[in-house]
Amino acid sequence: MSIAFSHDHIGLSVTSEDLEPTIDWYSRTLGFTIERRFDTHGMIFAFLICGDVRIELMATASKRQAPTGDILSSMNPARLHHFCLAVTDLDAAVSELRDRGVNLIGGPMAVAEIGQRVAFITDNLGNIIELAEPGARPSDPRQT
């Protein structure tokens, strides 16, 4: 039996104090809007959307993660490393985000093995976001 998957959302745990600033950062910086917000089982949730990308913010964390300033030294196994957002033009996206005060922590760089160019930023809490532009990815990785 084969199971068909599609992507639904990424979930990020934030402290209750960081929920509003994080909603504001994703709205102001990346253009997300609130799809819905609700309380259940003593926890507050907010779903943010931008196009077909959904981020679930869960105000459940008891402490903040330490932010990272460099993608190459950010391999802490105790945290989600990153999530990736596709962009059509990496250079234009990076330029626009710099104008909005967002710092790059890696790239832009070409990754020949996957046929893409990528760059890395962090959100207001230090969560790493990879930006990737379309490339010539191999259709079957077993052929390489």
Side-chain angles (χ1 to χ4, degrees):
M1 176 162 103
S2 175
I3 300 173
F5 293 105
S6 64
H7 183 73
D8 188 78
H9 69 275
I10 180 96
L12 299 176
S13 182
V14 301
T15 66
S16 57
E17 297 82 22
D18 287 327
L19 181 62
E20 291 305 321
T22 303
I23 290 170
D24 179 61
W25 189 90
Y26 279 91
S27 299
R28 182 178 33 82
T29 307
L30 300 182
F32 279 78
T33 59
I34 297 175
E35 178 184 48
R36 68 180 137 152
R37 183 185 182 129
F38 57 94
D39 297 7
T40 186
H41 304 290
M43 298 177 280
I44 302 170
F45 295 84
F47 277 87
L48 308 178
I49 60 168
C50 184
D52 62 356
V53 177
R54 293 175 72 216
I55 298 173
E56 175 187 21
L57 299 178
M58 304 170 289
T60 58
S62 58
K63 64 178 184 171
R64 284 184 182 162
Q65 294 184 62
T68 185
D70 174 29
I71 191 64
L72 297 176
S73 64
S74 64
M75 305 302 176
N76 179 350
R79 70 181 290 168
L80 165 74
H81 186 263
H82 71 276
F83 65 93
C84 184
L85 299 174
V87 296
T88 56
D89 182 333
L90 184 63
D91 294 322
V94 166
S95 178
E96 178 68 25
L97 290 169
R98 280 186 174 145
D99 289 349
R100 295 178 188 183
V102 177
N103 294 320
L104 238 53
I105 64 165
M109 64 185 94
V111 183
E113 293 79 5
I114 60 171
Q116 289 182 283
R117 290 179 64 238
V118 300
F120 296 88
I121 62 171
T122 59
D123 68 10
N124 62 307
L125 298 176
N127 292 302
I128 299 170
I129 303 168
E130 178 181 2
L131 305 172
E133 68 183 5
R137 290 188 261 184
S139 59
D140 184 350
R142 296 170 290 185
Q143 294 177 359
T144 58

